[in-house]
Amino acid sequence: MVIPESLLEALEKARSITVLTGAGVSAESGIKTFRDPDGLWSQFNPAELASVDGFMSNPELVWQWYQYRRQIINNAMPNAGHYAIAEMEKLFKNFVLVTQNVDRLHQRAGSSKVWELHGNIIDNHCFNCKRPYIGETNLPDKQLPKCPVCGGLIRPSVVWFGELLPFEALSAAEEAAYNCDVFLSVGTSAEVYPAANLPLIAKRSGAFVVEVNPNRTAISHYMDVCLRETSAVALPKLIEEYKKFISD
Ligand code: OAD
């Protein structure tokens, strides 16, 4: 994979850089994506497992699935792609990281500020009164955790289909897309809105837009540059080439 000089020049001139990540950035940590041929949505039904209706009709099944995913995520480690993004924060001023991922691997790799558009899978809160829940989730006899204040069912703090995205994170992400000079869309199929709109906002606002993805996506044709590699290979290489470029 060759890093085009146009990208290195754009990075050198940029006053601000925004990165959007999706499930692909965690694929090399052993966490399945959603829409690849072996992805989660090829095995599981999102309407049953990732929607309010699904939770209301079968909370036991939804809990079982999130506990299973939590186990995988807890045992996973950040990969070279996550570490490269954490380094970019130090390398570039006005760097904004936005993720659709719920796994917190960016934070574990050292990214200090991450706008989480789809919440996170670590925390829980009450489905009814929305209060955070910090109690036990693995209860005996398949009991489900309940809110100690209102008795409502506890749910994982992820955003489900049909739910609104967290307002502050979405506003910050849109502002960062409008205002950046370089926008990188990394490891996302760009199929899910409003996140998928961010690279397009950046493009329309005049940013140099880049896709890092081994495969074509719905928005590839808008891109100034596509790095057709995995993020754990492409991003460290991009940083290495950029450092060489600015020292010449
Ligand atoms: P998808 O599963 O839709 O897309 C993953 C993308 O990552 C694909 O385009 C792959 O080609 C690419 N990919 C795979 N391995 C990669 C690697 N090693 N390096 C770089 N790219 C790689 O995942 P998202 O776009 O994140 O939402 O999906 C968006 C949302 O849909 C998720 O946040 C989730 C899901 O339903 C909710 O749960 C609300």
Side-chain angles (χ1 to χ4, degrees):
M1 179 203 50
V2 176
I3 308 280
E5 201 156 302
S6 58
L7 169 54
L8 299 173
E9 277 168 6
L11 286 172
E12 190 184 29
K13 282 195 211 126
R15 284 157 304 163
S16 58
I17 294 173
T18 298
V19 173
L20 169 70
T21 63
V25 90
S26 295
E28 285 151 292
S29 294
I31 299 172
K32 282 195 169 171
T33 63
F34 296 93
R35 293 177 187 76
D36 283 307
D38 65 340
L40 291 173
W41 296 154
S42 71
Q43 285 172 276
F44 301 103
N45 180 352
E48 274 178 11
L49 299 168
S51 75
V52 168
D53 287 350
F55 183 68
M56 277 166 28
S57 62
N58 195 344
E60 291 82 6
L61 179 74
V62 173
W63 263 103
Q64 216 177 16
W65 193 62
Y66 279 95
Q67 295 297 68
Y68 154 77
R69 286 183 60 204
R70 280 172 170 157
Q71 208 176 7
I72 294 169
I73 286 168
N74 285 339
N75 290 327
M77 296 297 287
N79 65 54
H82 296 107
Y83 287 115
I85 290 170
E87 191 179 346
M88 287 168 100
E89 178 185 316
K90 299 191 178 79
L91 211 52
F92 300 108
K93 48 184 186 309
N94 302 323
F95 179 85
V96 179
L97 174 57
V98 180
T99 191
Q100 298 164 86
N101 297 347
V102 295
D103 57 32
R104 291 258 160 109
L105 288 183
H106 284 304
Q107 288 89 335
R108 283 170 56 194
S111 288
S112 67
K113 178 68 202 159
V114 188
W115 291 107
E116 296 177 319
L117 292 179
H118 294 165
N120 79 82
I121 200 169
I122 316 298
D123 299 329
N124 298 290
H125 65 269
C126 176
F127 183 73
N128 185 38
C129 72
K130 319 283 184 256
R131 281 186 179 84
Y133 175 79
I134 50 164
E136 186 52 62
T137 52
N138 285 316
L139 298 174
D141 306 325
K142 294 188 180 161
Q143 281 178 74
L144 296 183
K146 299 254 173 67
C147 177
V149 179
C150 78
L153 277 178
I154 300 300
R155 57 164 285 180
S157 297
V158 296
V159 174
W160 283 328
F161 286 103
E163 291 189 303
L164 290 178
L165 270 57
F167 178 76
E168 202 194 349
L170 182 58
S171 309
E174 286 176 343
E175 197 183 317
Y178 275 118
N179 291 329
C180 68
D181 297 313
V182 176
F183 186 102
L184 281 89
S185 177
V186 184
T188 176
S189 61
E191 299 275 349
V192 175
Y193 285 80
N197 212 21
L198 296 170
L200 309 184
I201 292 175
K203 176 75 181 176
R204 282 198 294 271
S205 311
F208 189 95
V209 291
V210 182
E211 179 169 80
V212 179
N213 197 315
N215 304 305
R216 274 192 71 80
T217 72
I219 59 163
S220 293
H221 57 286
Y222 287 104
M223 297 291 134
D224 292 299
V225 162
C226 291
L227 301 180
R228 291 273 168 253
E229 248 304 347
T230 69
S231 48
V233 172
L235 295 176
K237 169 110 168 136
L238 175 60
I239 290 183
E240 191 192 316
E241 298 276 316
Y242 176 72
K243 284 180 178 166
K244 267 197 245 158
F245 183 76
I246 55 170
S247 71
D248 283 348

